[in-house]
Amino acid sequence: SILGTGNYGSCQYTQGDFTSSDTHFIQKATLEFLNVKETWTAQDIAYIFLTPTARTSNWQEKPVNWNKEEKGYRGLAPILEEMKLPCPIETVDITEDGDEQGLWSVFQTIYDKLQEGDELYIDITHSFRYLPMLLLVLCNYAKFLKQTKVVHISYGNYEAKATIKPLVDLMPLVEVQNWTLAASDFLRNGRTSSFAELVSERIQPILKATRGQDEDARALRQFINRLEPLSQSLTTVRGKAVIDGGIFRDLNDSAQNLGNTLIPAMDPLIDKIKDSFSSFAPTANIKIGRAHV
């Protein structure tokens, strides 16, 4: 989480059945929501990134630089200490320079803290407005280079008019990015592994909960299962299977059964994949060997 410099009012945050304690800081509410006390260990770590102004105005016990006259306003440091979390809390200094050099400095500082295979829990509520975008880009960068995985990303909507402020789940944005990269990998390189993995992650809980009866999840699984042999046939030049046309016929049939693909942004991606095979006939035809994906 990146700590901001604002004079934050006290409020509660909510998501689903969860409601936080009354707090000035979204960081405390997020740690409560994640149930860190019960689920994290000493092997985990909470990083709080601080500009010099954020450190003096919102981190230390007695904040300065703001007219914080509200009774009980304290910095975040003693509040987190009183939570007695099982994991260490580490502050990391970042620059508050807003130029290109400052942006890359923040990017490198955060990236250097990530370890191979880390699972990331991210709060993008406060800080400079460009930083949430920087974090999203950095997450994709680290996913490729360090095999990290974003498992939680949220935004505390303090400006909402509601008495209890919403803690907004932003994981769908990460999911759209993942789907887009997977679809691109297939369309450019013919690889279906990333796409199949994402589909499996999405539909397995649904199929388990419905004992395999959810029609949309079953149709999506069938489509992916038929996409895999088609991809293998093209990438490994299995001429007999391509000319026979059966793999294209099977894919077309399963595509017709697709209804709700479970993620609205995924529909155009599925359409793009289906269109990529429009040149291939679903019947035996030797000329199909000259078609292009």
Side-chain angles (χ1 to χ4, degrees):
S1 179
I2 302 174
L3 184 62
T5 60
N7 184 8
Y8 307 122
S10 184
C11 67
Q12 292 177 287
Y13 291 91
T14 184
Q15 184 182 133
D17 297 331
F18 166 80
T19 300
S20 75
S21 60
D22 204 59
T23 180
H24 292 276
F25 296 105
I26 184 62
Q27 289 82 2
K28 180 183 179 184
T30 302
L31 290 166
E32 289 176 346
F33 173 75
L34 296 173
N35 194 23
V36 165
K37 273 192 173 184
E38 303 298 329
T39 60
W40 286 24
T41 71
Q43 301 303 311
D44 301 303
I45 188 167
Y47 288 116
I48 308 294
F49 295 90
L50 304 170
T51 63
T53 303
R55 182 177 286 279
T56 57
S57 64
N58 272 326
W59 178 252
Q60 62 191 36
E61 170 77 40
K62 294 182 178 179
V64 296
N65 299 337
W66 275 93
N67 183 24
K68 296 184 167 87
E69 297 179 349
E70 182 182 347
K71 184 178 179 180
Y73 197 107
R74 307 159 64 206
L76 180 59
I79 292 172
L80 294 184
E81 186 176 348
E82 289 169 1
M83 291 182 73
K84 299 188 183 304
L85 301 175
C87 62
I89 299 167
E90 181 179 326
T91 61
V92 183
D93 293 323
I94 57 174
T95 181
E96 49 194 6
D97 295 340
D99 56 14
E100 182 178 348
Q101 184 175 353
L103 184 152
W104 283 117
S105 172
V106 173
F107 186 98
Q108 191 65 48
T109 298
I110 298 176
Y111 177 76
D112 287 344
K113 287 297 178 182
L114 305 182
Q115 303 299 314
E116 192 80 15
D118 273 352
E119 291 187 342
L120 308 179
Y121 296 76
I122 299 173
D123 158 54
I124 62 168
T125 304
H126 300 307
S127 71
F128 298 131
R129 291 302 89 196
Y130 72 82
L131 286 173
M133 180 179 292
L134 179 147
L135 282 173
L136 289 175
V137 173
L138 186 148
C139 286
N140 269 336
Y141 184 76
K143 178 182 178 181
F144 177 70
L145 291 177
K146 293 187 176 181
Q147 285 72 56
T148 61
K149 181 180 181 181
V150 177
V151 294
H152 172 87
I153 183 167
S154 62
Y155 169 74
N157 189 359
Y158 177 74
E159 304 299 329
K161 295 181 180 180
T163 305
I164 301 179
K165 312 300 183 181
L167 182 62
V168 184
D169 178 14
L170 296 181
M171 278 302 292
L173 298 181
V174 176
E175 212 168 8
V176 168
Q177 283 187 318
N178 292 339
W179 283 111
T180 303
L181 291 172
S184 176
D185 191 30
F186 172 74
L187 292 171
R188 289 175 179 269
N189 307 308
R191 292 193 289 262
T192 60
S193 55
S194 296
F195 211 75
E197 183 180 343
L198 288 173
V199 169
S200 179
E201 287 179 1
R202 170 52 71 133
I203 67 175
Q204 285 304 326
I206 298 173
L207 292 173
K208 183 177 180 180
T210 62
R211 297 185 179 181
Q213 298 306 306
D214 186 281
E215 292 185 3
D216 291 329
R218 290 171 62 186
L220 187 54
R221 180 175 62 182
Q222 183 187 60
F223 178 80
I224 295 301
N225 287 343
R226 291 181 172 179
L227 186 63
E228 175 109 14
L230 189 155
S231 172
Q232 291 177 351
S233 295
L234 292 176
T235 55
T236 58
V237 199
R238 299 177 188 176
K240 184 177 180 181
V242 172
I243 293 171
D244 176 71
I247 52 177
F248 303 106
R249 182 172 60 253
D250 289 343
L251 187 70
N252 286 342
D253 290 344
S254 60
Q256 309 240 343
N257 295 327
L258 285 176
N260 174 17
T261 54
L262 310 176
I263 302 177
M266 184 183 167
D267 291 337
L269 299 178
I270 292 289
D271 290 340
K272 191 75 173 176
I273 290 174
K274 290 190 291 186
D275 289 345
S276 71
F277 296 109
S278 59
S279 300
F280 294 87
T283 56
N285 188 336
I286 196 170
K287 292 184 179 179
I288 204 171
R290 299 175 58 192
H292 297 280
V293 178

